Amino acid sequence: MSDLRVAVLGVGVMGADHVARIQNKISGARVAVVNDYLTEKAEQIAAGIPGCRVIADPLDAIADAQVDAVVLATPGPTHEKQLLACLEHTKPVLCEKPLTTDVETALEVVRREAQLSTRLIQVGFMRRFDHEYAQLKALIDSGDLGTPLVLHCAHRNPSVPPSFDSAMIVKDSLVHEVDVARFLFGEEITSIQIIKPAANPSAPHGVADPQIAIMRTATGKHIDVELFVTTGVAYEVRTELVAERGSAMIGLDVGLIRKSFPGTWGGQITPGFQERFGQAYDSEVQRWVNAVHNGRSTGDFTDGPTAWDGYAAAAVCAAGVESLDSGDPVEVTMVDRRSVPRA
Amino acid sequence: MSDLRVAVLGVGVMGADHVARIQNKISGARVAVVNDYLTEKAEQIAAGIPGCRVIADPLDAIADAQVDAVVLATPGPTHEKQLLACLEHTKPVLCEKPLTTDVETALEVVRREAQLSTRLIQVGFMRRFDHEYAQLKALIDSGDLGTPLVLHCAHRNPSVPPSFDSAMIVKDSLVHEVDVARFLFGEEITSIQIIKPAANPSAPHGVADPQIAIMRTATGKHIDVELFVTTGVAYEVRTELVAERGSAMIGLDVGLIRKSFPGTWGGQITPGFQERFGQAYDSEVQRWVNAVHNGRSTGDFTDGPTAWDGYAAAAVCAAGVESLDSGDPVEVTMVDRRSVPRA
Amino acid sequence: MSDLRVAVLGVGVMGADHVARIQNKISGARVAVVNDYLTEKAEQIAAGIPGCRVIADPLDAIADAQVDAVVLATPGPTHEKQLLACLEHTKPVLCEKPLTTDVETALEVVRREAQLSTRLIQVGFMRRFDHEYAQLKALIDSGDLGTPLVLHCAHRNPSVPPSFDSAMIVKDSLVHEVDVARFLFGEEITSIQIIKPAANPSAPHGVADPQIAIMRTATGKHIDVELFVTTGVAYEVRTELVAERGSAMIGLDVGLIRKSFPGTWGGQITPGFQERFGQAYDSEVQRWVNAVHNGRSTGDFTDGPTAWDGYAAAAVCAAGVESLDSGDPVEVTMVDRRSVPRA
Amino acid sequence: MSDLRVAVLGVGVMGADHVARIQNKISGARVAVVNDYLTEKAEQIAAGIPGCRVIADPLDAIADAQVDAVVLATPGPTHEKQLLACLEHTKPVLCEKPLTTDVETALEVVRREAQLSTRLIQVGFMRRFDHEYAQLKALIDSGDLGTPLVLHCAHRNPSVPPSFDSAMIVKDSLVHEVDVARFLFGEEITSIQIIKPAANPSAPHGVADPQIAIMRTATGKHIDVELFVTTGVAYEVRTELVAERGSAMIGLDVGLIRKSFPGTWGGQITPGFQERFGQAYDSEVQRWVNAVHNGRSTGDFTDGPTAWDGYAAAAVCAAGVESLDSGDPVEVTMVDRRSVPRA
């Protein structure tokens, strides 16, 4: 299967991040086209990618015959037109949130896609792909905890750009918990209240921060969210599910912690080496592949343990086996490394 | 840059895992050749990969002009000959541990590579690529904890294959801690002692399990390792560094825990969304790319939040902004989903 | 100073617990009088305490010249009259919550006490004496976290008696968080809202459980409390403070966890042996005192490590010191325990 | 039962601590006699305790007819003679470690006590009374984890007095783990080895610190102990049991953490309010008793929540019950505190 030719529209922070991701980490795709309203930026990025073109007009990029799929990282107000173009040209599109900037146009996009026989639009609510959220969802779906009842969330940023205002806390921060709640509970939210406690003295003047959002779903499940974007600490996203037969919390930097009958708290130990070291294997191989690509110029086709490391480990283990028999300490015998130049 | 054409030699558990990794997760490489002494197995795997050939003789595979690099997942006793072939044909090779099965041949491989002007052999000590080990190494190298003094390790498997014997605990399990100790301390191990406590009643008859390994480095640093391969619990790999100005532990399923002056313990909070959700973004995009590849047959070019999810989030946030102004609870207004067929 | 002669009024679960506490753990006090509307129960308890009398009428008990102080563990509706009697007779009183069962009588009690020149009434909000709450209060008062902003609380019981109704969740459970919030923030609560999510299917029919309480203080600080009394899990009381420069959480069974700039989470390590083993010393001495009291009948004046344990430790340490010099393993030499009958 | 009259011999740090403990926290005992080779110190302490005498000669103190029991906190070299005097006068004695300063005299004390028909000597290995060690012991004895196999211990002090030498690390620090191992495993230690890694650069010159002790019990169980007395961090005492069907760790400042089949880690949630708040109730009542004792001079017979706190809680809960019915936010109605002078 040949690599998917992706057009990335908008190469600000998020879009540039997607470009790097697709080029360096994703199998089966490459960035074929980049676009930005700052053409220079687009050209700079394209220059670093073999075979990548700049197309100045986003609608031309979407329509381009050499583009198989689109990543939309443009400003929200342009989404509607670009999404409709994707639908028109039957181009699959991964659209960074928001879908569009108001409810009416969002519904219009939904309706236009529904008229097609395929589903083309995916929205970038990436939390659904986070291991911890996926675990929490699986735990709910397993039924082990019984009926889900309540969700407590905290969403804290150390700081935000100067332009961040009170409404953006709802539209840009809370929106993630809105999707998380819908995802975990599998039902729609029917009411919402925003509480404004006394503001953080360190928050910019006039910004209501922190805020507390109280939401309720169709069947009466309760969700509360602390939104606090000027904590000065770090990035903390926590979600606790309270259910009929126990609770579970993610986002405390210690994995999913579950509380269950008859009164225990704790987490899961990695069951095997694949779970424990899967990430390590992936990184090992990716870095090795990169090193091999670069080896012709560097003369070094490795990026990790060398043959000498293999030899040293062998020498220690051989002494270990000897000690296993005798029970006594055994000196490790190795040649002087300087006797093997370049090792 | 065209994809690296990799030959994977040996497609048992580990080798097959590497094949899947290279095909599905690694950017810039593809499996061009597979080989196994069970030809059928190799053929089965090759069948699932476009453009992948089977080459029956591993030395032919190494020599093949259409092979850029080699992954060695064959049984240990065949490594020496295959590694030397890689050196001869100047093929970069990622060699699963052990380098070879005895010290003399390992040294011979080191010497032969050292005669070349390039470094071609990387050994599969994958722990160096694990985020936690990398963090621990970075912490040591930062100097924040002062001189490293002692390493306490535990290496526990829930169970092992029936063929596992006492010496394999040293050669196949301890070997990882040997490399970890050398990696973290940056010096060679000079002596080793294996202590055999009373055996676990649940261990196979005649197998010395658990074992305690006591090692010492060139400058007198102490390493102890509990090796216990029949715990019946899970896969636990723990490493604690004790240093002049504090200690740090990894492998407790809660990230790196550090203890420092003046008496605090704890970990790091993810500083930003890239650190917290980087994995989620990667998974999101990889799964979207896969969905788009499959979309022509499924009619669904998404594998995640749909346009409807984008619409629903917009509706809730719009109500939230209204509540932000009024302070009162606001009903969320949405069209009935059934009014938009296929959404 | 002679022991305080305490009258315990009401010897149900809570009162009987106080009786045992005063007799077995508290220095400087003894239970001189017990009272209960079930006279038999009072007599049963008094029988086990040297010099303890039963007084049938609680007001007589309060007035009794041989009573120095009163513990009130009677049903709430009787509190008003009994508290006023304590004031009249100038008897210090520790009153289990509630002070009285309605706001008007509570205010009357406050007014009557305020007319005296001494403070006689203490209310049994025991959480203020819990180490973790005390630590959290000290942390707030230290100013390290800046202005306190928000308090998130969870108050979960595995189950409640059949008589527990929706209003008792507010009056008997939430009342503790009301006091905690006032204690930690040092200001009054000015508004409250109770949200009733869809009820736990396992809760008794008609009981609104869980409930969410939303409170606001005089200066606009926000408090939310999850009240859930049929979790089936265990007793969980959690409080998280969110402040201007960090947050702190207690009640996760892992001590106080603090999150601070620049992005660390964690707790305090016990600074010294007094903090780590203070409880052990207290228990050791209390149990030894009890054993000595009982020794005349048992012939054993110990309840802990014996002289043999002291000897065995000496033998091992002597061998250890020898090994410290030689570096070699040393056999421990001890006499056969059977050679010392009764040791 | 009248209070036990205790003679505390030696009122240095440890002895003075015991005096305060017996006077302020322990029920059923009082300090009747103190003794120290620094008579002035003894007199100073006695002056603060009603009815407490100083006796200059420790043997006279032991023999005194008004002394029921003895706490020995004198220097080790004097223990033998004092313990034998206790035996002679049939006085129960709680002896701070060590029993005596060498193996022979320790055995002599054991033999002399064994000739009596009662057990009079208890040694101050206080860890056996620590909640976590007690939990670990109970877990072992429950058989849930199967046969105990290995014990990993760490014993770390931030610093030690200048006089501390290498042998004291064995005799004064390791001695606790010797008792812990004997206590938990219920068998004697048969061999010991002390390993001296390269010393901490921050340790005093000539002191072997850290040290690693390797011990083995009669049935072959393995114990290793890291002794490190110049960590500069805090006081860390950790013990991990590895057993046939799981492991458990205490001393990480997070309670007992257990790892069990099928791969979970975690702790126990407090099952009820007695376990969660037992310490709070004890402190509440002890502090209230103390306040009442002092009330005659202070005019304040409370040390905790006042009647006003009870009133305020009642006012908030009454509003809460109103909100429970209506679902709406309810203002809390309270009188102005200034309208009730002295409340």
Side-chain angles (χ1 to χ4, degrees), chain D residues 246-257:
Chain D
S247 63
M249 204 186 303
I250 60 173
L252 282 175
D253 300 281
V254 295
L256 186 151
I257 298 295

Side-chain angles (χ1 to χ4, degrees), chain B residues 200-257:
Chain B
N200 178 19
S202 303
H205 184 71
V207 177
D209 183 54
Q211 296 179 19
I212 309 290
I214 307 287
M215 297 186 280
R216 192 178 184 93
T217 70
T219 67
K221 301 186 197 313
H222 170 86
I223 301 129
D224 51 48
V225 185
E226 175 207 317
L227 298 151
F228 190 3
V229 300
T230 60
T231 66
V233 175
Y235 185 68
E236 302 173 59
V237 169
R238 190 166 74 225
T239 299
E240 179 180 24
L241 168 79
V242 185
E244 188 181 2
R245 285 196 294 274
S247 63
M249 205 187 301
I250 60 173
L252 282 175
D253 300 283
V254 295
L256 186 150
I257 299 295

Side-chain angles (χ1 to χ4, degrees), chain D:
Chain D
M1 204 162 356
S2 59
D3 279 353
L4 202 68
R5 295 164 301 180
V6 178
V8 177
L9 310 191
V11 288
V13 174
M14 202 63 240
D17 200 42
H18 279 312
V19 167
R21 177 172 290 112
I22 291 169
Q23 282 309 106
N24 304 326
K25 294 185 179 174
I26 300 297
S27 178
R30 63 182 183 85
V31 178
V33 166
V34 293
N35 155 276
D36 201 277
Y37 72 100
L38 300 168
T39 319
E40 219 170 294
K41 206 179 200 174
E43 274 165 359
Q44 198 180 346
I45 283 180
I49 302 171
C52 179
R53 291 173 294 144
V54 173
I55 296 184
D57 183 325
L59 298 182
D60 289 349
I62 291 166
D64 193 280
Q66 309 302 313
V67 164
D68 299 317
V70 175
V71 167
L72 219 64
T74 47
T78 69
H79 282 193
E80 184 191 4
K81 195 178 280 189
Q82 293 166 1
L83 286 167
L84 293 180
C86 287
L87 294 181
E88 188 189 340
H89 294 283
T90 323
K91 294 285 168 77
V93 55
L94 176 60
C95 174
E96 276 303 311
K97 55 115 192 147
L99 185 65
T100 69
T101 47
D102 59 81
V103 186
E104 293 68 32
T105 54
L107 182 58
E108 180 58 18
V109 167
V110 168
R111 286 197 164 123
R112 295 281 284 271
E113 188 199 35
Q115 289 161 6
L116 305 176
S117 57
T118 58
R119 185 168 279 173
L120 291 168
I121 300 170
Q122 179 167 329
V123 183
F125 290 129
M126 82 294 177
R127 288 200 195 166
R128 298 192 183 195
F129 300 90
D130 173 63
H131 286 331
E132 293 192 352
Y133 279 104
Q135 268 183 281
L136 189 54
K137 175 65 171 164
L139 179 58
I140 292 174
D141 291 352
S142 75
D144 278 12
L145 295 185
T147 307
L149 299 169
V150 165
L151 215 56
H152 299 299
C153 307
H155 185 149
R156 299 177 188 153
N157 292 72
S159 61
V160 282
S163 60
F164 222 76
D165 65 27
S166 300
M168 291 173 79
I169 292 176
V170 175
K171 289 189 291 184
D172 282 3
S173 298
L174 179 61
V175 66
H176 281 294
E177 271 76 20
V178 168
D179 189 62
V180 158
R182 294 181 62 254
F183 172 61
L184 293 177
F185 281 160
E187 48 183 280
E188 299 295 351
I189 290 163
T190 55
S191 76
I192 181 169
Q193 177 180 14
I194 305 291
I195 294 173
K196 285 172 283 186
N200 179 18
S202 303
H205 183 71
V207 176
D209 183 55
Q211 296 179 17
I212 308 290
I214 307 287
M215 297 186 279
R216 192 179 185 94
T217 70
T219 66
K221 300 186 198 314
H222 170 87
I223 300 129
D224 50 49
V225 185
E226 175 206 318
L227 298 150
F228 190 4
V229 301
T230 59
T231 67
V233 175
Y235 185 68
E236 303 173 59
V237 169
R238 190 166 74 224
T239 299
E240 179 180 23
L241 169 79
V242 185
E244 188 182 0
R245 286 197 292 275
S247 63
M249 204 186 303
I250 60 173
L252 282 175
D253 300 281
V254 295
L256 186 151
I257 298 295
R258 175 175 168 173
K259 300 191 166 188
S260 309
F261 176 84
T264 55
W265 66 269
Q268 206 71 28
I269 307 172
T270 45
F273 76 94
Q274 295 95 334
E275 291 83 359
R276 175 65 185 86
F277 288 119
Q279 167 269 318
Y281 281 112
D282 293 352
S283 297
E284 175 193 57
V285 175
Q286 185 69 65
R287 282 174 56 181
W288 175 70
V289 165
N290 297 349
V292 172
H293 274 301
N294 296 329
R296 253 148 279 173
S297 53
T298 63
D300 188 351
F301 293 83
T302 70
D303 181 11
T306 63
W308 177 267
D309 295 313
Y311 162 68
V316 176
C317 288
V321 171
E322 201 182 321
S323 173
L324 177 68
D325 288 340
S326 69
D328 295 327
V330 173
E331 297 295 310
V332 175
T333 311
M334 286 174 63
V335 298
D336 188 324
R337 192 165 186 169
R338 289 161 302 181
S339 73
V340 192
R342 283 199 295 276

Side-chain angles (χ1 to χ4, degrees), chain C residues 3-259:
Chain C
D3 280 353
L4 202 68
R5 294 164 302 180
V6 178
V8 178
L9 310 191
V11 287
V13 173
M14 204 62 239
D17 200 43
H18 279 313
V19 168
R21 176 172 291 111
I22 292 168
Q23 283 307 105
N24 304 325
K25 295 183 178 175
I26 300 298
S27 179
R30 64 181 182 86
V31 177
V33 166
V34 292
N35 156 276
D36 201 277
Y37 72 99
L38 300 169
T39 320
E40 219 169 295
K41 208 179 200 174
E43 275 164 359
Q44 199 180 344
I45 284 180
I49 302 172
C52 179
R53 291 172 295 144
V54 173
I55 296 184
D57 183 326
L59 299 182
D60 289 349
I62 291 166
D64 193 280
Q66 309 302 313
V67 164
D68 300 316
V70 175
V71 168
L72 221 62
T74 48
T78 68
H79 283 192
E80 183 191 6
K81 194 178 282 190
Q82 294 166 2
L83 287 167
L84 294 180
C86 288
L87 294 181
E88 189 189 338
H89 294 283
T90 324
K91 294 286 167 78
V93 55
L94 177 60
C95 173
E96 276 302 310
K97 54 115 192 147
L99 185 66
T100 70
T101 48
D102 59 82
V103 185
E104 293 68 31
T105 54
L107 181 57
E108 179 59 18
V109 167
V110 167
R111 287 194 163 125
R112 295 281 284 273
E113 188 198 36
Q115 290 161 6
L116 306 176
S117 58
T118 57
R119 185 167 280 173
L120 291 168
I121 300 171
Q122 180 167 328
V123 183
F125 290 128
M126 81 296 176
R127 288 199 196 167
R128 298 192 183 195
F129 300 90
D130 173 64
H131 286 332
E132 294 193 351
Y133 279 104
Q135 268 183 282
L136 188 55
K137 175 66 170 164
L139 178 58
I140 292 174
D141 292 351
S142 75
D144 278 13
L145 296 185
T147 307
L149 300 169
V150 166
L151 214 56
H152 301 298
C153 308
H155 184 150
R156 299 177 188 154
N157 292 71
S159 62
V160 281
S163 59
F164 222 76
D165 65 26
S166 301
M168 291 173 79
I169 293 176
V170 175
K171 289 189 292 183
D172 283 3
S173 297
L174 178 61
V175 66
H176 282 293
E177 270 76 19
V178 168
D179 188 62
V180 158
R182 295 180 62 254
F183 172 61
L184 293 177
F185 282 159
E187 50 183 279
E188 299 296 351
I189 291 163
T190 54
S191 76
I192 180 168
Q193 177 179 14
I194 304 291
I195 295 174
K196 285 172 284 185
N200 179 18
S202 302
H205 183 71
V207 177
D209 183 55
Q211 296 178 18
I212 308 290
I214 307 288
M215 298 186 280
R216 192 178 183 93
T217 71
T219 67
K221 300 187 198 312
H222 170 86
I223 301 130
D224 51 50
V225 185
E226 174 207 319
L227 298 150
F228 190 3
V229 300
T230 59
T231 66
V233 174
Y235 185 68
E236 304 173 58
V237 170
R238 191 166 72 225
T239 299
E240 179 179 24
L241 168 79
V242 185
E244 189 182 0
R245 285 197 294 274
S247 62
M249 205 188 302
I250 61 173
L252 282 176
D253 301 282
V254 295
L256 187 151
I257 298 295
R258 175 174 168 173
K259 301 190 166 190

Side-chain angles (χ1 to χ4, degrees), chain A residues 147 149-150 152-154 156 193 195-202 209-210 212 214 216 219-222 224-226 228 230-234 236 238 240-247 249 251-254 259-265, chain C residues 147 149-150 152-154 156 193 195-202 209-210 212 214 216 219-222 224-226 228 230-234 236 238 240-247 249 251-254 259-265:
Chain A
T147 307
L149 299 168
V150 166
H152 299 299
C153 308
R156 299 178 188 153
Q193 177 180 13
I195 295 173
K196 285 172 283 184
N200 179 19
S202 303
D209 183 54
I212 308 289
I214 307 287
R216 192 178 185 94
T219 67
K221 301 187 198 312
H222 170 87
D224 51 48
V225 185
E226 174 206 318
F228 189 4
T230 59
T231 66
V233 174
E236 303 173 58
R238 189 166 75 226
E240 179 180 24
L241 167 79
V242 184
E244 189 182 1
R245 286 196 294 274
S247 62
M249 203 187 302
L252 282 175
D253 301 280
V254 296
K259 300 190 167 191
S260 309
F261 177 83
T264 55
W265 66 269
Chain C
T147 307
L149 300 169
V150 166
H152 301 298
C153 308
R156 299 177 188 154
Q193 177 179 14
I195 295 174
K196 285 172 284 185
N200 179 18
S202 302
D209 183 55
I212 308 290
I214 307 288
R216 192 178 183 93
T219 67
K221 300 187 198 312
H222 170 86
D224 51 50
V225 185
E226 174 207 319
F228 190 3
T230 59
T231 66
V233 174
E236 304 173 58
R238 191 166 72 225
E240 179 179 24
L241 168 79
V242 185
E244 189 182 0
R245 285 197 294 274
S247 62
M249 205 188 302
L252 282 176
D253 301 282
V254 295
K259 301 190 166 190
S260 308
F261 176 83
T264 55
W265 66 269

